[in-house]
PDB file of all heavy atoms in Angstrom:
ATOM      1  N   LEU A 344       5.915 -10.435   6.610  1.00  0.00           N
ATOM      2  CA  LEU A 344       4.765 -10.356   7.570  1.00  0.00           C
ATOM      3  C   LEU A 344       4.409 -11.792   7.992  1.00  0.00           C
ATOM      4  O   LEU A 344       3.984 -11.991   9.040  1.00  0.00           O
ATOM      5  CB  LEU A 344       3.612  -9.703   6.950  1.00  0.00           C
ATOM      6  CG  LEU A 344       3.810  -8.114   6.809  1.00  0.00           C
ATOM      7  CD1 LEU A 344       2.569  -7.637   6.059  1.00  0.00           C
ATOM      8  CD2 LEU A 344       4.011  -7.468   8.192  1.00  0.00           C
ATOM      9  N   SER A 345       4.602 -12.715   7.050  1.00  0.00           N
ATOM     10  CA  SER A 345       4.213 -14.180   7.420  1.00  0.00           C
ATOM     11  C   SER A 345       5.325 -14.904   8.141  1.00  0.00           C
ATOM     12  O   SER A 345       5.075 -15.884   8.859  1.00  0.00           O
ATOM     13  CB  SER A 345       3.886 -14.954   6.165  1.00  0.00           C
ATOM     14  OG  SER A 345       4.966 -15.034   5.306  1.00  0.00           O
ATOM     15  N   PHE A 346       6.537 -14.411   8.070  1.00  0.00           N
ATOM     16  CA  PHE A 346       7.690 -15.011   8.742  1.00  0.00           C
ATOM     17  C   PHE A 346       7.720 -14.458  10.161  1.00  0.00           C
ATOM     18  O   PHE A 346       8.612 -13.675  10.488  1.00  0.00           O
ATOM     19  CB  PHE A 346       9.000 -14.676   7.965  1.00  0.00           C
ATOM     20  CG  PHE A 346      10.139 -15.555   8.223  1.00  0.00           C
ATOM     21  CD1 PHE A 346      10.438 -16.697   7.525  1.00  0.00           C
ATOM     22  CD2 PHE A 346      11.064 -15.222   9.288  1.00  0.00           C
ATOM     23  CE1 PHE A 346      11.498 -17.518   7.718  1.00  0.00           C
ATOM     24  CE2 PHE A 346      12.134 -16.108   9.525  1.00  0.00           C
ATOM     25  CZ  PHE A 346      12.315 -17.196   8.751  1.00  0.00           C
ATOM     26  N   GLN A 347       6.798 -14.897  11.046  1.00  0.00           N
ATOM     27  CA  GLN A 347       6.638 -14.297  12.358  1.00  0.00           C
ATOM     28  C   GLN A 347       7.259 -15.091  13.505  1.00  0.00           C
ATOM     29  O   GLN A 347       7.177 -14.659  14.713  1.00  0.00           O
ATOM     30  CB  GLN A 347       5.164 -14.054  12.645  1.00  0.00           C
ATOM     31  CG  GLN A 347       4.604 -13.039  11.761  1.00  0.00           C
ATOM     32  CD  GLN A 347       3.089 -12.720  12.070  1.00  0.00           C
ATOM     33  OE1 GLN A 347       2.697 -13.070  13.156  1.00  0.00           O
ATOM     34  NE2 GLN A 347       2.421 -12.096  11.192  1.00  0.00           N
ATOM     35  N   HIS A 348       7.892 -16.218  13.272  1.00  0.00           N
ATOM     36  CA  HIS A 348       8.440 -17.096  14.258  1.00  0.00           C
ATOM     37  C   HIS A 348       9.868 -16.583  14.561  1.00  0.00           C
ATOM     38  O   HIS A 348      10.408 -17.030  15.636  1.00  0.00           O
ATOM     39  CB  HIS A 348       8.477 -18.534  13.885  1.00  0.00           C
ATOM     40  CG  HIS A 348       9.367 -18.848  12.852  1.00  0.00           C
ATOM     41  ND1 HIS A 348       9.098 -18.521  11.384  1.00  0.00           N
ATOM     42  CD2 HIS A 348      10.666 -19.279  12.725  1.00  0.00           C
ATOM     43  CE1 HIS A 348      10.166 -18.890  10.615  1.00  0.00           C
ATOM     44  NE2 HIS A 348      11.090 -19.424  11.438  1.00  0.00           N
ATOM     45  N   SER A 349      10.459 -15.865  13.827  1.00  0.00           N
ATOM     46  CA  SER A 349      11.825 -15.362  14.000  1.00  0.00           C
ATOM     47  C   SER A 349      12.052 -14.086  13.295  1.00  0.00           C
ATOM     48  O   SER A 349      11.600 -13.820  12.155  1.00  0.00           O
ATOM     49  CB  SER A 349      12.732 -16.521  13.482  1.00  0.00           C
ATOM     50  OG  SER A 349      14.081 -16.055  13.375  1.00  0.00           O
ATOM     51  N   PRO A 350      13.023 -13.205  13.895  1.00  0.00           N
ATOM     52  CA  PRO A 350      13.417 -11.959  13.184  1.00  0.00           C
ATOM     53  C   PRO A 350      14.411 -12.075  12.028  1.00  0.00           C
ATOM     54  O   PRO A 350      14.963 -11.154  11.541  1.00  0.00           O
ATOM     55  CB  PRO A 350      13.825 -11.053  14.304  1.00  0.00           C
ATOM     56  CG  PRO A 350      14.557 -12.107  15.249  1.00  0.00           C
ATOM     57  CD  PRO A 350      13.654 -13.254  15.150  1.00  0.00           C
ATOM     58  N   GLU A 351      14.800 -13.429  11.800  1.00  0.00           N
ATOM     59  CA  GLU A 351      16.022 -13.611  10.926  1.00  0.00           C
ATOM     60  C   GLU A 351      15.805 -13.045   9.570  1.00  0.00           C
ATOM     61  O   GLU A 351      16.719 -12.421   9.015  1.00  0.00           O
ATOM     62  CB  GLU A 351      16.236 -15.156  10.837  1.00  0.00           C
ATOM     63  CG  GLU A 351      17.509 -15.576  10.138  1.00  0.00           C
ATOM     64  CD  GLU A 351      17.823 -17.039  10.152  1.00  0.00           C
ATOM     65  OE1 GLU A 351      16.939 -17.762  10.742  1.00  0.00           O
ATOM     66  OE2 GLU A 351      18.802 -17.518   9.583  1.00  0.00           O
ATOM     67  N   ALA A 352      14.658 -13.353   8.924  1.00  0.00           N
ATOM     68  CA  ALA A 352      14.456 -12.819   7.639  1.00  0.00           C
ATOM     69  C   ALA A 352      14.440 -11.306   7.544  1.00  0.00           C
ATOM     70  O   ALA A 352      15.024 -10.712   6.616  1.00  0.00           O
ATOM     71  CB  ALA A 352      13.104 -13.352   7.055  1.00  0.00           C
ATOM     72  N   PHE A 353      13.821 -10.692   8.477  1.00  0.00           N
ATOM     73  CA  PHE A 353      13.772  -9.141   8.492  1.00  0.00           C
ATOM     74  C   PHE A 353      15.145  -8.599   8.714  1.00  0.00           C
ATOM     75  O   PHE A 353      15.534  -7.647   8.079  1.00  0.00           O
ATOM     76  CB  PHE A 353      12.796  -8.620   9.566  1.00  0.00           C
ATOM     77  CG  PHE A 353      12.766  -7.178   9.731  1.00  0.00           C
ATOM     78  CD1 PHE A 353      12.549  -6.470   8.718  1.00  0.00           C
ATOM     79  CD2 PHE A 353      12.956  -6.559  10.977  1.00  0.00           C
ATOM     80  CE1 PHE A 353      12.483  -5.036   8.743  1.00  0.00           C
ATOM     81  CE2 PHE A 353      12.825  -5.173  11.042  1.00  0.00           C
ATOM     82  CZ  PHE A 353      12.694  -4.417   9.976  1.00  0.00           C
ATOM     83  N   HIS A 354      15.931  -9.170   9.545  1.00  0.00           N
ATOM     84  CA  HIS A 354      17.229  -8.670   9.936  1.00  0.00           C
ATOM     85  C   HIS A 354      18.225  -8.858   8.677  1.00  0.00           C
ATOM     86  O   HIS A 354      19.295  -8.189   8.598  1.00  0.00           O
ATOM     87  CB  HIS A 354      17.729  -9.354  11.076  1.00  0.00           C
ATOM     88  CG  HIS A 354      17.190  -8.895  12.365  1.00  0.00           C
ATOM     89  ND1 HIS A 354      17.390  -9.468  13.572  1.00  0.00           N
ATOM     90  CD2 HIS A 354      16.150  -7.898  12.571  1.00  0.00           C
ATOM     91  CE1 HIS A 354      16.640  -8.730  14.565  1.00  0.00           C
ATOM     92  NE2 HIS A 354      15.892  -7.865  13.887  1.00  0.00           N
ATOM     93  N   LEU A 355      17.905  -9.747   7.783  1.00  0.00           N
ATOM     94  CA  LEU A 355      18.749  -9.816   6.488  1.00  0.00           C
ATOM     95  C   LEU A 355      18.575  -8.614   5.735  1.00  0.00           C
ATOM     96  O   LEU A 355      19.598  -8.261   4.932  1.00  0.00           O
ATOM     97  CB  LEU A 355      18.350 -11.061   5.755  1.00  0.00           C
ATOM     98  CG  LEU A 355      18.777 -12.453   6.369  1.00  0.00           C
ATOM     99  CD1 LEU A 355      18.147 -13.599   5.425  1.00  0.00           C
ATOM    100  CD2 LEU A 355      20.318 -12.482   6.386  1.00  0.00           C
ATOM    101  N   VAL A 356      17.406  -7.919   5.734  1.00  0.00           N
ATOM    102  CA  VAL A 356      17.255  -6.768   4.838  1.00  0.00           C
ATOM    103  C   VAL A 356      17.377  -5.517   5.465  1.00  0.00           C
ATOM    104  O   VAL A 356      17.364  -4.382   4.886  1.00  0.00           O
ATOM    105  CB  VAL A 356      15.868  -6.899   4.094  1.00  0.00           C
ATOM    106  CG1 VAL A 356      15.822  -8.165   3.288  1.00  0.00           C
ATOM    107  CG2 VAL A 356      14.654  -6.880   5.031  1.00  0.00           C
ATOM    108  N   VAL A 357      17.509  -5.491   6.807  1.00  0.00           N
ATOM    109  CA  VAL A 357      17.638  -4.346   7.641  1.00  0.00           C
ATOM    110  C   VAL A 357      18.662  -3.350   7.094  1.00  0.00           C
ATOM    111  O   VAL A 357      18.503  -2.115   6.905  1.00  0.00           O
ATOM    112  CB  VAL A 357      17.784  -4.603   9.113  1.00  0.00           C
ATOM    113  CG1 VAL A 357      18.318  -3.423   9.836  1.00  0.00           C
ATOM    114  CG2 VAL A 357      16.452  -5.075   9.774  1.00  0.00           C
ATOM    115  N   PRO A 358      19.858  -3.822   6.756  1.00  0.00           N
ATOM    116  CA  PRO A 358      20.854  -2.928   6.294  1.00  0.00           C
ATOM    117  C   PRO A 358      20.608  -2.307   4.934  1.00  0.00           C
ATOM    118  O   PRO A 358      21.255  -1.375   4.589  1.00  0.00           O
ATOM    119  CB  PRO A 358      22.165  -3.960   6.131  1.00  0.00           C
ATOM    120  CG  PRO A 358      21.903  -5.030   7.041  1.00  0.00           C
ATOM    121  CD  PRO A 358      20.471  -5.257   6.978  1.00  0.00           C
ATOM    122  N   LEU A 359      19.646  -2.813   4.243  1.00  0.00           N
ATOM    123  CA  LEU A 359      19.271  -2.400   2.803  1.00  0.00           C
ATOM    124  C   LEU A 359      18.241  -1.329   2.930  1.00  0.00           C
ATOM    125  O   LEU A 359      18.013  -0.708   1.898  1.00  0.00           O
ATOM    126  CB  LEU A 359      18.902  -3.626   2.020  1.00  0.00           C
ATOM    127  CG  LEU A 359      19.760  -4.791   1.938  1.00  0.00           C
ATOM    128  CD1 LEU A 359      19.176  -5.962   1.048  1.00  0.00           C
ATOM    129  CD2 LEU A 359      21.124  -4.428   1.429  1.00  0.00           C
ATOM    130  N   VAL A 360      17.575  -1.148   3.962  1.00  0.00           N
ATOM    131  CA  VAL A 360      16.425  -0.181   4.128  1.00  0.00           C
ATOM    132  C   VAL A 360      16.800   1.279   3.874  1.00  0.00           C
ATOM    133  O   VAL A 360      16.235   2.004   3.088  1.00  0.00           O
ATOM    134  CB  VAL A 360      15.591  -0.470   5.473  1.00  0.00           C
ATOM    135  CG1 VAL A 360      14.517   0.600   5.567  1.00  0.00           C
ATOM    136  CG2 VAL A 360      15.108  -1.841   5.508  1.00  0.00           C
ATOM    137  N   GLY A 361      17.760   1.687   4.597  1.00  0.00           N
ATOM    138  CA  GLY A 361      18.211   3.067   4.626  1.00  0.00           C
ATOM    139  C   GLY A 361      18.551   3.687   3.231  1.00  0.00           C
ATOM    140  O   GLY A 361      17.973   4.581   2.765  1.00  0.00           O
ATOM    141  N   PRO A 362      19.440   2.961   2.449  1.00  0.00           N
ATOM    142  CA  PRO A 362      19.739   3.425   1.208  1.00  0.00           C
ATOM    143  C   PRO A 362      18.605   3.516   0.259  1.00  0.00           C
ATOM    144  O   PRO A 362      18.424   4.430  -0.621  1.00  0.00           O
ATOM    145  CB  PRO A 362      20.845   2.404   0.668  1.00  0.00           C
ATOM    146  CG  PRO A 362      21.433   1.845   1.854  1.00  0.00           C
ATOM    147  CD  PRO A 362      20.297   1.818   2.913  1.00  0.00           C
TER     148      PRO A 362
END
Side-chain angles (χ1 to χ4, degrees):
L344 292 171
S345 61
F346 198 91
Q347 294 186 15
H348 67 282
S349 164
E351 187 175 0
F353 177 54
H354 287 178
L355 285 175
V356 300
V357 162
L359 311 175
V360 173

